[in-house]
Amino acid sequence: MAATAPSVSTWSNWAGNQRGTATAVLRPTSVAEVAAAVRAAVADGERIRPIGSGHSFTPVALTDGRRMELTGLANEVRVDIDRRLVTVPAGTTLRALNRLLAGHGLALPNLGDIDAQTVAGAISTGTHGTGAGYGCLSTFVEALTLVTGTGDILHCSADEHPDVLAAARVSLGALGVLVDVTLRCVDAFVLHAHERPAPLAGVLAELPELVDRHDHVEFYWFPYTDRAQVKSNDRVPVDDQPLPRWHRWLDDEFLSNTVFAGACRLGRAVPALAPTISSVAARVLTERRYTGPSDAVFCTPRRVRFVEMEYALPRDALASALADLRRIIDALPVKVLFPVEVRFSASDDIWLSHGYGRDSAYLAVHQYVGVPYEPYFRAVEELAEGLGGRPHWGKLHWRDAASLAPAYPRWDSFHAVRDRLDPHRVFASPYLSRVLG
């Protein structure tokens, strides 16, 4: 197994707000090498943190010990078309998984708007898309293989170690190293996308009907305005209205990335212009309709760097949260350059999932890199925590184990599994000590 010297082991996440240096970097190529690395770390009194693509904004991937990269893990890929199941190495990116599934006439039932994450990273932090009938991506996990903190190799499913499956589907990497994941898929499908500007008051008035009527719906509110952009995606039988390539480039690359990046740089340099920039952005985005393969519609390029915090709220708390959020933004000592994103998900039974036991509305706030964000995010967190919100595990927050435990009814169950699988805390880190205890 290859390992680098400490002098070349510095790592940073996609946003650049988390940086760390490991004592060594491990690149196993087999499950046996993963298990041997864990046993060696225990013997040496060291810690290991497996990492993915670095698309979490928290320090969840940072370690004060050894870092393990899983991109070279050569597990077998298995596709069962009849049962609509796929098993892939845990270090596979969602983008690569989507290509694999499309080649077999399959797709994931739902996706978020970024496909750069690894499968292990996405499920370990509770990555989600939007849709009232869909939970986070971890709800698609049928089975997984885990190398525990004692170096044992554990295959988990509804029939084998079901308690570990319930804990490991969203685990922050605290239970072991995920080496492969089996996901439940569906037949490949086409989505009809409808994106339109609308008054925020109108969106909120029709929101229950909007969420129920569409397979997937989300909206963006532009701070300092009364404008929102609504996006709905619905399954249709044929791809008969594809977006021309030039139109996709204009909207998704030029306007949403190149022009928006320039506007953010201007707003960072001259904060007083932020309300004007937000108002112009709200009016530049026009209505459009198109069809396409599900992954092409769900996932869009994200080239403008930002930091983010996101909270899962009880769905009926959303309207009051948005009203308070408007007052928070207006009173901030800093200006906000990014729209506020709202998405929806169904309840699930995964112990540390943000959606455990309740339907959720997700409220996500962003700030352009280099712009102060802490006063904004802390004020939103105080609001969200007071409404019973749960922070997204991959997004910035300041909660600790004492404040998080009451929000998760199966908190103690998770810790019982953790004590059993990682008695030496080989997978611990400063961040996990804060949020899990």
Side-chain angles (χ1 to χ4, degrees), residues 13 53 64 75 89 115 137 182 189 192 200 207 212 237 241 243 311 317 331 335 353 378 381 419 424 433 435:
N13 64 345
S53 300
D64 52 5
N75 285 13
D115 59 6
L137 269 59
T182 300
F189 60 97
H192 175 269
L200 178 62
L207 197 55
D212 290 340
Q241 196 178 345
L243 196 64
Y311 259 83
K335 294 298 184 182
S353 167
R378 281 188 178 272
E381 178 163 79
D419 289 342
H424 310 292
S433 295
V435 299

Side-chain angles (χ1 to χ4, degrees), residues 93-351:
T93 65
L94 293 177
R95 184 178 297 124
L97 174 61
N98 291 335
R99 288 198 299 265
L100 170 70
L101 294 177
H104 293 277
L106 298 172
L108 289 181
N110 198 12
L111 287 164
D113 56 8
I114 297 175
D115 59 6
Q117 308 99 315
T118 63
V119 171
I123 67 172
S124 293
T125 56
T127 294
H128 63 95
T130 190
Y134 300 87
C136 64
L137 269 59
S138 301
T139 60
F140 309 148
V141 175
E142 289 287 309
L144 53 84
T145 304
L146 189 72
V147 175
T148 73
T150 55
D152 295 323
I153 300 169
L154 212 60
H155 184 73
C156 308
S157 67
D159 300 319
E160 300 177 84
H161 310 290
D163 60 332
V164 177
L165 183 69
R169 284 188 289 170
V170 177
S171 70
L172 288 76
L175 304 182
V177 181
L178 285 172
V179 291
D180 68 43
V181 180
T182 300
L183 295 153
R184 184 180 71 258
C185 305
V186 296
D187 291 336
F189 60 97
V190 173
L191 286 173
H192 175 269
H194 182 200
E195 303 169 6
R196 60 181 174 88
L200 178 62
V203 174
L204 295 178
E206 67 169 334
L207 197 55
E209 179 190 355
L210 196 64
V211 171
D212 290 340
R213 187 169 72 242
H214 295 288
D215 294 329
H216 312 271
V217 67
E218 63 187 307
F219 69 89
Y220 295 82
W221 166 59
F222 294 85
Y224 315 109
T225 80
D226 61 355
R227 306 293 296 173
Q229 183 80 358
V230 182
K231 302 175 69 173
S232 59
N233 296 324
D234 293 289
R235 285 158 173 73
V236 291
V238 292
D239 186 3
D240 60 355
Q241 196 178 345
L243 196 64
R245 183 174 297 179
W246 68 266
H247 202 322
R248 181 176 295 277
W249 173 86
L250 178 66
D251 289 349
D252 295 341
E253 286 290 351
F254 184 66
L255 292 177
S256 296
N257 284 291
T258 305
V259 172
F260 185 56
C264 286
R265 287 194 296 271
L266 178 61
R268 183 174 61 189
V270 189
L273 291 177
T276 300
I277 291 170
S278 190
S279 179
V280 171
R283 283 165 172 76
V284 167
L285 295 174
T286 57
E287 185 171 15
R288 65 174 183 172
R289 299 173 183 265
Y290 60 94
T291 58
S294 59
D295 62 301
V297 174
F298 283 134
C299 303
T300 54
R302 289 287 185 270
R303 310 197 198 289
V304 181
R305 304 282 168 147
F306 57 86
V307 291
E308 180 180 359
M309 182 172 72
E310 184 174 37
Y311 259 83
L313 305 174
R315 198 174 293 172
D316 59 7
L318 177 62
S320 64
L322 281 171
D324 288 337
L325 178 59
R326 297 188 73 162
R327 289 190 285 271
I328 286 171
I329 289 176
D330 288 342
L332 284 173
V334 298
K335 294 298 184 182
V336 176
L337 294 172
F338 263 70
V340 173
E341 182 181 21
V342 178
R343 293 183 285 176
F344 305 90
S345 73
S347 67
D348 62 57
D349 61 354
I350 302 170
W351 293 350

